[in-house]
């Protein structure tokens, strides 16, 4: 008989359909191969990772060795962010191919199948980072079935590594069992390792070979090595096989496309302002609350004096441990721990009011000037259920939160257990520059919470923009990012436009601490730190450094060349302006005739002629033609601030602005003058 079967991938927003002449069933099972009197001939997994993109194939060959017809199941756990590209079953030489459908189509087909009495099944997540693909086929005795599943995923960098996980659970001993992971990274592999996550039984069985650009990991236990004990008939393979690696970063260009990876290291974390909104409703009673409290003990210990925090706990009511953000001092952290330990869950769930209160706390601190302008502000919501008190309409809560959240705030959501509406928590987080994570109430739930927090607890940069030279690229993906966290990675891709150049340059701007709090002096041997609240003079090796209290730093070399750094203070509680540093170089510096660079090349001012003054596109800014170095450039006259006389407000001066990043005015291209770090040097 003709039969249609669908499996909806709940989190993948796709549906897999298989047209099969045999009756198909869906059963909730855990092992990869299920059924009685089944001979598993082989179980093979192959992953190929190229430029952080992974394609995984899972193959299994099974024979119904029993005397009767029976159902044989094939279950594979795959990463949440992966998507299935193909699934085939070969039954006695006949191949049946699955097809992937979009979410809306999938739901429609699923409803139709159920209405016609056809077999159908949902695929649900059953672990922290995995979901289970399940299928089952009913076959006569002696039948040979070959299952083959393909899925793909973009590798994500967390805590300094890309981690590729394969859940291995064959369910029985397999004569031909093999896992191969191939890695190819054009920019180079920095490190690769295979931590023993399957247990001591398989210690040292994963073999690794690697070179500059390639690595191969093979796990091929023999039939005897798979046994739980010497005479056991059950398999000891049951867990996650992991490969961790990192790369040497560079932009990859191939076939007219590029991928740029950004993951700076050796940066100091930005201070953070964080409000923990913790669900203490009745459903959190017992293990959930115990694990949340355990996790919070460690999380609070992570706070520093530069961080500010508070706690909002909510059920049908909303309470604040502190109405205002407080510094993460030892005393405050200890008081917060006591408060959390004394929480007794009960009552309903008022998520809307809790989030409103958390946002108000951040807004108040910002308006009062308590928040460091360079810091990162965030809310971490921990909840295990749907709202039952106050505003209970999920779309209304989303709208309310988005309305009051400022651009510089982020919301991170942790959903505890299976009964939580994870889709809602994910939407509300992503709409507010954050991410969500489902936490499963297993023995390691507190570790799951801590691991998630560790991924967002060390913000390094804000407002990151990755730029490329004009007319060099097109169809660029997202290149503006709100935050960058330690151990993660930002990825920008697009098309490369035809050009004579064989290289593609990029220019990344961001805000970090690189600070008005102190003055750091390094002489190559020793490091010294000074505050702006002191006056000091340091002379060493022909270099004199003078610090004028709350004003400026002067660096003089051989009494001939001077660089001045001014500290620009703004009035307190200013809504937008922040303190900043300004670099000034006097015109009377006695540079060598060999001096060049972005500044040195103008030690001798070039001859400049400006003419053809006319109205520009902006009526407030005139345009003209500038003749310099044999080039005629279009220039625009505008205002610029000179802070040498008034370090707070500055004075307005006219300047001519050179378009196209100074092209034609400076020697070469502006990218020739970009150095990766402040203590780097350009090649001669």
């Amino acid at each position: 008989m003709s039969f249609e079967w669908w499996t909806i991938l709940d989190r993948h927003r796709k549906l897999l359909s298989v047209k099969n002449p045999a009756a198909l069933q869906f059963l909730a099972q855990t092992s990869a191969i299920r059924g009685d009197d089944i001979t598993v001939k082989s179980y093979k997994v192959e992953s190929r990772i190229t430029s952080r993109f992974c394609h995984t194939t899972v193959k299994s060959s099974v024979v119904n060795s029993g005397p009767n017809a029976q159902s044989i199941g094939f279950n594979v756990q795959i990463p949440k962010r992966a998507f299935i590209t193909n699934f085939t079953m070969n039954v006695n030489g006949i191949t049946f191919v699955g097809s992937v459908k979009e979410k809306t189509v999938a739901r429609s087909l699923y409803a139709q199948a159920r209405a016609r009495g056809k077999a159908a099944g949902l695929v649900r997540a059953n672990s922290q980072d995995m979901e289970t693909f399940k299928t089952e086929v009913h076959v006569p005795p002696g039948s040979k079935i070959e299952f083959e599943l393909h899925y793909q995923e973009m590798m994500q960098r967390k805590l300094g590594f890309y981690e590729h996980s394969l859940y291995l659970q064959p369910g029985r001993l397999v004569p031909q069992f093999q896992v191969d992971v191939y890695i190819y990274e054009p920019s180079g592999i920095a490190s690769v390792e295979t931590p023993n996550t399957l247990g001591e039984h398989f210690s040292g069985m994963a073999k690794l070979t690697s070179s500059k650009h390639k690595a191969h990991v093979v796990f091929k236990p023999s039939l005897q090595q798979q046994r739980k004990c010497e005479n056991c008939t059950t398999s000891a393979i049951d867990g996650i096989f992991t490969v961790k690696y990192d790369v040497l970063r560079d932009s990859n260009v191939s076939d007219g496309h590029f991928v740029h990876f950004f993951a700076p290291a050796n940066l100091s974390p930005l201070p953070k302002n964080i409000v923990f909104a913790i669900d203490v409703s009745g459903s959190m009673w017992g293990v959930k609350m115990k694990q949340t409290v355990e996790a919070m003990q460690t999380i609070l210990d992570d706070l520093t004096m530069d961080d500010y925090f508070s706690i909002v706990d909510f059920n049908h009511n909303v309470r604040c441990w502190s109405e205002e953000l407080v510094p993460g001092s030892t005393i405050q952290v200890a008081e917060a721990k006591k408060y959390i330990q004394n929480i007794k869950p009960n009552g309903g769930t008022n998520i809307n009011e809790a989030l409103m209160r958390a946002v108000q706390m951040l807004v108040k601190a910002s308006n009062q000037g308590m928040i460091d302008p360079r810091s990162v502000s965030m809310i971490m919501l921990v909840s295990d259920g749907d709202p039952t008190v106050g505003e209970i309409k999920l779309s209304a809560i989303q709208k309310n939160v988005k309305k009051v959240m400022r651009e510089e705030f982020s919301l991170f959501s942790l959903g505890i257990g299976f009964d939580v509406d994870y889709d809602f928590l994910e939407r509300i987080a992503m709409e507010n520059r954050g991410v969500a994570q489902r936490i499963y109430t297993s023995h390691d739930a507190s570790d799951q919470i801590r691991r998630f927090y560790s991924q967002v607890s060390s913000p390094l940069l804000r407002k990151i923009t990755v730029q490329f030279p004009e007319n060099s690229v097109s169809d660029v993906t997202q290149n503006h990012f709100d935050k960058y966290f330690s151990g993660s990675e930002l990825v920008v891709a697009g098309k490369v436009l035809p050009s004579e150049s064989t290289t593609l340059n990029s220019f990344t701007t961001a805000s970090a601490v690189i600070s008005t709090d102190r003055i750091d002096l390094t002489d190559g041997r020793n490091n010294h730190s000074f505050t702006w609240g002191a006056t000091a003079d340091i002379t060493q090796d022909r270099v004199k450094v003078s610090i004028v209290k709350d004003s400026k730093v002067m660096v003089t070399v051989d009494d001939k060349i001077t660089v001045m750094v001014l500290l620009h203070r703004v009035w307190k509680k200013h809504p937008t302006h922040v303190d900043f540093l300004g670099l000034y170089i006097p015109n009377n510096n006695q540079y060598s005739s060999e001096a060049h660079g972005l500044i040195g090349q103008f030690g001798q001012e070039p001859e400049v002629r400006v003419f053809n003054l006319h109205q520009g596109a902006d009526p407030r800014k005139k345009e003209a033609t500038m003749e310099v170095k044999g080039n005629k450039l279009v220039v625009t006259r505008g205002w610029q601030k000179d802070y040498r006389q008034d370090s707070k407000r500055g004075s307005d001066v006219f300047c001519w602005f050179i378009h196209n990043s100074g092209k034609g005015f400076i020697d070469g291209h502006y990218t020739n003058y970009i150095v990766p770090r402040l203590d780097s040097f350009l090649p001669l």
Side-chain angles (χ1 to χ4, degrees):
M1 64 177 178
S2 177
F3 199 92
E4 295 181 356
W5 175 80
W6 290 267
T7 296
I8 293 183
L9 281 74
D10 187 42
R11 293 284 304 116
H12 299 286
R13 311 295 197 265
K14 303 182 183 79
L15 170 144
L16 186 72
S17 66
V18 178
K19 294 187 176 181
N20 197 324
L24 292 167
Q25 303 176 20
F26 175 88
L27 295 177
Q29 301 175 131
T30 56
S31 297
I33 305 297
R34 291 299 300 264
D36 297 325
D37 295 323
I38 292 175
T39 301
V40 180
K41 296 292 187 181
S42 67
Y43 192 87
K44 297 183 178 180
V45 182
E46 179 182 289
S47 292
R48 292 188 177 270
I49 305 172
T50 302
S51 297
R52 289 82 146 182
F53 190 79
C54 181
H55 185 130
T56 299
T57 304
V58 183
K59 297 180 179 179
S60 183
S61 178
V62 182
V63 174
N64 179 5
S65 52
N68 303 312
Q70 64 171 316
S71 295
I72 298 177
F74 176 71
N75 306 338
V76 178
Q77 293 199 47
I78 63 178
K80 287 181 179 178
R81 294 185 179 274
F83 56 94
I84 292 176
T85 56
N86 191 28
F87 173 67
T88 60
M89 288 190 301
N90 187 296
V91 183
N92 296 325
I94 303 175
T95 300
F96 307 98
V97 182
S99 61
V100 178
K101 305 295 183 182
E102 292 300 325
K103 179 182 178 181
T104 52
V105 178
R107 285 181 172 173
S108 175
L109 291 174
Y110 175 69
Q112 293 174 27
R114 292 300 299 267
R116 296 198 304 268
K118 305 290 186 178
L122 288 172
V123 173
R124 296 188 181 276
N126 70 342
S127 66
Q128 183 183 359
D129 298 309
M130 297 283 184
E131 295 181 318
T132 306
F133 168 84
K134 303 180 181 181
T135 186
E136 190 160 306
V137 59
H138 195 78
V139 294
S143 296
K144 180 180 179 181
I145 308 99
E146 294 178 347
F147 300 98
E148 184 170 324
L149 177 71
H150 295 253
Y151 64 88
Q152 297 178 344
E153 59 177 316
M154 189 70 187
M155 304 294 294
Q156 286 193 319
R157 191 170 186 259
K158 296 180 180 179
L159 303 178
F161 288 95
Y162 302 96
E163 187 171 298
H164 180 53
S165 299
L166 296 169
Y167 201 106
L168 305 179
Q169 197 177 34
R172 62 198 64 223
L173 299 174
V174 182
Q176 299 179 41
F177 185 97
Q178 184 166 338
V179 176
D180 290 282
V181 178
Y182 298 92
I183 302 173
Y184 172 62
E185 292 290 349
S187 60
I189 297 174
S191 63
V192 59
E193 58 184 83
T194 56
N196 184 22
T197 52
L198 286 174
E200 291 301 317
H201 186 89
F202 297 102
S203 179
M205 289 192 189
K207 305 301 180 183
L208 166 66
T209 57
S210 63
S211 61
K212 181 179 179 181
H213 299 285
K214 297 180 179 180
H216 177 210
V217 178
V218 60
F219 176 61
K220 190 180 180 181
S222 66
L223 199 64
Q224 186 60 33
Q225 289 172 328
Q226 295 174 42
R227 300 180 189 274
K228 281 189 175 182
C229 61
E230 186 174 354
N231 298 317
C232 289
T233 58
T234 53
S235 175
I237 302 177
D238 184 3
I240 295 179
F241 180 80
T242 302
V243 178
K244 297 171 67 174
Y245 77 99
D246 202 13
V247 301
L248 302 173
R249 270 160 197 86
D250 201 356
S251 295
N252 296 329
V253 181
S254 177
D255 296 328
H257 294 78
F258 75 90
V259 181
H260 175 77
F261 303 95
F262 180 71
N266 302 320
L267 295 176
S268 299
L270 296 169
K272 54 185 176 291
N273 316 292
I274 182 166
V275 179
F276 299 97
I278 302 175
D279 185 347
V280 296
S281 60
S283 58
M284 286 287 288
W285 181 268
V287 175
K288 291 180 182 178
M289 197 69 235
K290 179 177 181 293
Q291 292 170 332
T292 300
V293 170
E294 288 177 358
M296 287 300 299
Q297 304 299 309
T298 305
I299 289 172
L300 290 171
D301 280 334
D302 177 71
L303 298 172
T304 70
M305 278 295 296
D306 293 329
D307 299 325
Y308 281 77
F309 78 104
S310 188
I311 299 168
V312 172
D313 61 297
F314 64 96
N315 45 25
H316 49 282
N317 294 318
V318 177
R319 293 160 298 278
C320 298
W321 166 68
S322 170
E323 293 290 342
E324 296 184 343
L325 297 184
V326 299
S329 66
T330 303
I331 295 176
Q332 299 286 12
V333 167
E335 290 297 322
K337 286 183 176 180
K338 290 181 183 177
Y339 180 81
I340 291 177
Q341 286 175 335
N342 292 327
I343 290 175
K344 297 294 186 287
N346 66 86
T349 309
N350 194 342
I351 292 179
N352 185 77
E353 184 60 29
L355 290 177
M356 293 298 104
R357 190 77 64 88
V359 175
Q360 289 166 8
M361 202 175 291
L362 291 176
V363 170
K364 180 181 178 181
S366 180
N367 290 342
Q368 292 180 344
M370 292 176 56
I371 288 181
D372 188 325
R374 297 157 300 137
S375 64
V376 171
S377 299
M378 62 181 77
I379 296 169
M380 182 167 287
L381 170 65
V382 181
S383 179
D384 77 329
D386 293 335
T388 61
V389 178
E391 178 59 72
I392 61 174
K393 189 176 181 181
L394 300 184
S395 60
I397 297 175
Q398 286 179 246
K399 184 178 180 180
N400 293 342
V401 173
K402 191 172 182 179
K403 183 178 180 180
V404 297
M405 283 281 282
R406 292 185 176 180
E407 284 294 322
E408 64 268 29
F409 300 166
S410 295
L411 172 63
F412 298 93
S413 301
L414 287 172
I416 309 290
F418 284 99
D419 49 352
V420 67
D421 191 330
Y422 181 74
D423 283 345
F424 162 68
L425 294 179
E426 187 174 48
R427 288 195 303 270
I428 201 170
M430 295 185 68
E431 284 183 354
N432 294 285
R433 296 159 296 282
V435 294
Q437 177 71 64
R438 188 192 294 271
I439 303 297
Y440 295 89
T441 49
S442 59
H443 66 281
D444 69 339
S446 57
D447 289 334
Q448 295 174 42
I449 297 174
R450 288 193 289 265
R451 282 198 299 270
F452 176 79
Y453 175 77
S454 66
Q455 294 171 26
V456 300
S457 63
S458 296
L460 301 183
L461 296 172
R462 291 181 55 200
K463 302 186 183 305
I464 307 102
T465 301
V466 182
Q467 299 171 307
F468 300 89
E470 190 175 4
N471 298 323
S472 64
V473 297
S474 67
D475 300 320
V476 177
T477 58
Q478 178 185 358
N479 67 329
H480 299 279
F481 303 91
D482 186 64
K483 297 174 184 67
Y484 169 75
F485 295 95
S486 176
S488 61
E489 182 179 63
L490 304 179
V491 182
V492 181
K495 293 182 179 179
V496 181
L497 296 178
S499 170
E500 295 180 358
S501 175
T502 58
T503 61
L504 176 64
N505 296 313
S506 65
F507 181 45
T508 303
T509 60
S511 299
V513 181
I514 317 247
S515 169
T516 58
D517 294 337
R518 65 180 189 270
I519 303 160
D520 293 325
L521 177 63
T522 301
D523 61 13
R525 297 182 296 273
N526 303 301
N527 299 322
H528 307 279
S529 185
F530 304 88
T531 69
W532 282 100
T535 295
D537 286 305
I538 306 100
T539 302
Q540 183 175 323
D541 298 336
R542 299 161 49 200
V543 177
K544 180 180 180 181
V545 179
S546 299
I547 302 172
V548 180
K549 180 180 178 180
D550 289 327
S551 177
K552 60 186 175 183
V553 176
M554 302 278 289
V555 181
T556 305
V557 180
D558 284 341
D559 293 325
K560 295 179 179 180
I561 298 175
T562 299
V563 176
M564 179 173 68
V565 179
L566 279 182
L567 173 63
H568 301 297
R569 296 285 196 195
V570 299
W571 52 94
K572 292 183 179 179
K573 301 182 182 180
H574 194 284
T576 56
H577 295 169
V578 297
D579 295 349
F580 65 98
L581 303 176
L583 184 70
Y584 298 90
I585 300 171
N587 293 331
N588 59 357
N589 271 350
Q590 301 175 41
Y591 292 111
S592 161
S593 60
E594 300 298 319
H596 199 264
L598 189 60
I599 296 172
Q601 65 181 289
F602 299 109
Q604 301 294 325
E605 291 190 14
E607 184 176 340
V608 175
R609 186 169 74 94
V610 178
F611 58 96
N612 189 28
L613 185 67
H614 60 277
Q615 195 73 35
D618 187 338
R620 298 169 298 177
K621 298 179 180 179
K622 299 284 188 178
E623 289 189 353
T625 300
M626 175 181 287
E627 192 172 72
V628 58
K629 296 182 180 180
N631 301 313
K632 290 184 178 180
L633 311 176
V634 176
V635 293
T636 302
R637 188 172 69 180
W639 294 100
Q640 187 58 278
K641 288 285 187 181
D642 184 345
Y643 290 92
R644 286 175 293 184
Q645 302 301 320
D646 185 346
S647 63
K648 283 190 176 181
R649 295 172 177 80
S651 55
D652 292 323
V653 295
F654 267 128
C655 289
W656 288 109
F657 291 91
I658 314 297
H659 296 238
N660 297 324
S661 302
K663 184 178 181 181
F665 185 77
I666 61 174
D667 294 341
H669 193 269
Y670 80 90
T671 54
N672 298 335
Y673 304 96
I674 297 175
V675 292
R677 303 198 319 270
L678 289 179
D679 58 351
S680 297
F681 295 89
L682 290 170
L684 296 176

